[in-house]
Amino acid sequence: MATSVFLVILCLGMASSSPAPDPILDGGRRTEESSMGRKYEKDQLHNGENGLGKHGFTMEMNAFGDMTSEEFRKMMTDIPIPTVKKGKSVQKRQSANLPKFINWKKRGYVTPVRRQGMCNSCWAMSVTGAIEGQMFRKTGQLIPLSVQNLVDCSRPQGNSGCYVGSIFRALQYVKENGGLESEATYPYEGKEGSCRYNPENSTASITDFELLPPSEDALMHAVATIGPISVAVDARHESFLFYKRGIYYEPNCKNSTLNHAMLLVGYGFLGQESDGRKYWLIKNSIGIQWGNRGYMKLAKDQGNHCGIATLALYPKV
């Protein structure tokens, strides 16, 4: 297991933290409507080009449509990735004999898509998803785990509740704390609170966790043989914000800029494998109105696109 890491994630919140527009300021409302109109036209242009084969995915207006580009950029602040000191880790393995398609959602490993709201808890939702999958693998029971437990209680490990968090530190908390409650006993509130963890209600625990090498081959092997993996990506772009379906590829995406944690639940390809249209299947935490009912296909084997393999971890139960 890695012995130290310092990476926090600023999540893609479901709602803007800016105040609601004043209905008296009619000019401001017209500006907002004009902005939404331009975004709609941009989506239509993108989708028209997609039909001509220029892009591999479509975009659609959603609950983020009333945000300005400035508000969006402020939500997605770049976070530097420092040197990670590694101890024992999973080594790169050959992927030639692995299945060509994996979808852990269809195999019962994945709980329904959640909505983080205005709390930047994507890191906690990613980690609970990875633990839920491993607990299902071990017990045959799929039990939604408490995201709020992590938001409220992992501050001693260095997380900051609804502000920023680290998937590494969240797993560290679960390991050191001895367990995690279920959603049923410690429900999600979408805001920070005092830690109310009750060991008597512990539903899941982990013995350790592993940091994967930053390699798509290693990531593919882990997803195929272990289950859902906690990952982080560069999600700063409007194309990500308004993604609807298809294989997402953003030329401006960086593999060194991570600001949104998600759950990797599978991989596959569209058409013929030789066409190179391979994808990672990832679960988001901003509701089913985004993407393909809360899921995204992200370009696979395209130079670690959006940093999908830069920070990937899985728990051991």
Side-chain angles (χ1 to χ4, degrees):
M1 185 192 74
T3 56
S4 66
V5 65
F6 185 71
L7 176 66
V8 290
I9 303 294
L10 283 177
C11 309
L12 182 66
M14 191 59 194
S16 169
S17 58
S18 60
D22 189 336
I24 298 175
L25 303 178
D26 185 60
R29 183 165 61 248
R30 285 197 299 270
T31 300
E32 179 184 347
E33 290 171 351
S34 176
S35 175
M36 291 180 68
R38 287 194 297 272
K39 291 176 182 177
Y40 177 78
E41 290 173 1
K42 182 177 179 179
D43 290 352
Q44 293 298 100
L45 175 62
H46 172 96
N47 292 343
E49 292 175 341
N50 181 66
L52 298 174
K54 184 174 181 180
H55 307 291
F57 65 100
T58 59
M59 295 164 62
E60 181 180 82
M61 285 294 291
N62 53 32
F64 293 98
D66 61 351
M67 293 181 63
T68 66
S69 296
E70 182 180 358
E71 288 171 336
F72 182 44
R73 285 193 298 269
K74 286 181 179 179
M75 288 175 59
M76 309 309 292
T77 305
D78 290 350
I79 301 172
I81 302 173
T83 301
V84 177
K85 182 180 179 182
K86 296 181 181 179
K88 180 182 177 183
S89 64
V90 176
Q91 299 300 312
K92 179 179 177 179
R93 300 179 175 93
Q94 296 297 319
S95 56
N97 297 322
L98 297 178
K100 294 182 178 181
F101 289 90
I102 284 287
N103 186 335
W104 292 110
K105 178 178 180 290
K106 290 184 177 181
R107 301 189 184 193
Y109 279 61
V110 185
T111 55
V113 172
R114 298 182 180 186
R115 181 172 173 172
Q116 65 191 56
M118 295 183 68
C119 177
N120 290 339
S121 58
C122 62
W123 54 274
M125 293 191 174
S126 173
V127 164
T128 54
I131 300 174
E132 287 162 356
Q134 291 308 298
M135 290 299 296
F136 177 81
R137 185 188 187 100
K138 179 180 180 180
T139 68
Q141 293 183 303
L142 185 64
I143 301 175
L145 298 177
S146 176
V147 172
Q148 195 68 41
N149 189 166
L150 284 173
V151 170
D152 293 344
C153 303
S154 66
R155 282 188 283 262
Q157 281 71 27
N159 286 330
S160 299
C162 285
Y163 177 54
V164 292
S166 159
I167 55 180
F168 182 95
R169 290 170 176 170
L171 285 165
Q172 193 174 44
Y173 163 78
V174 180
K175 178 185 175 182
E176 295 174 353
N177 185 60
L180 196 64
E181 288 195 42
S182 70
E183 175 69 17
T185 62
Y186 202 149
Y188 187 61
E189 299 173 352
K191 60 182 180 180
E192 295 178 46
S194 59
C195 181
R196 291 156 284 159
Y197 171 71
N198 183 348
E200 294 182 2
N201 293 330
S202 178
T203 302
S205 61
I206 67 174
T207 59
D208 208 343
F209 57 97
E210 289 285 352
L211 174 66
L212 292 168
S215 152
E216 287 189 83
D217 282 344
L219 185 58
M220 181 178 179
H221 190 280
V223 176
T225 60
I226 294 168
I229 306 291
S230 185
V231 297
V233 298
D234 174 8
R236 299 168 299 151
H237 313 282
E238 281 195 359
S239 57
F240 186 99
L241 190 71
F242 298 117
Y243 167 83
K244 180 60 181 176
R245 62 173 60 88
I247 300 178
Y248 179 75
Y249 182 86
E250 167 57 61
N252 297 314
C253 232
K254 297 181 179 180
N255 58 25
S256 59
T257 301
L258 307 180
N259 47 34
H260 189 57
M262 302 175 77
L263 185 68
L264 178 57
V265 302
Y267 61 79
F269 60 87
L270 298 179
Q272 299 295 319
E273 187 177 13
S274 58
D275 293 343
R277 300 180 66 202
K278 300 177 184 178
Y279 64 82
W280 297 108
L281 180 63
I282 46 181
K283 175 189 177 185
N284 210 343
S285 55
I286 54 176
I288 62 173
Q289 290 77 25
W290 177 88
N292 188 357
R293 296 193 63 79
Y295 285 82
M296 165 184 270
K297 288 183 171 77
L298 185 140
K300 179 177 178 290
D301 297 335
Q302 294 290 329
N304 187 21
H305 192 55
C306 296
I308 185 70
T310 300
L311 183 69
L313 301 101
Y314 70 90
K316 296 180 177 181
V317 303

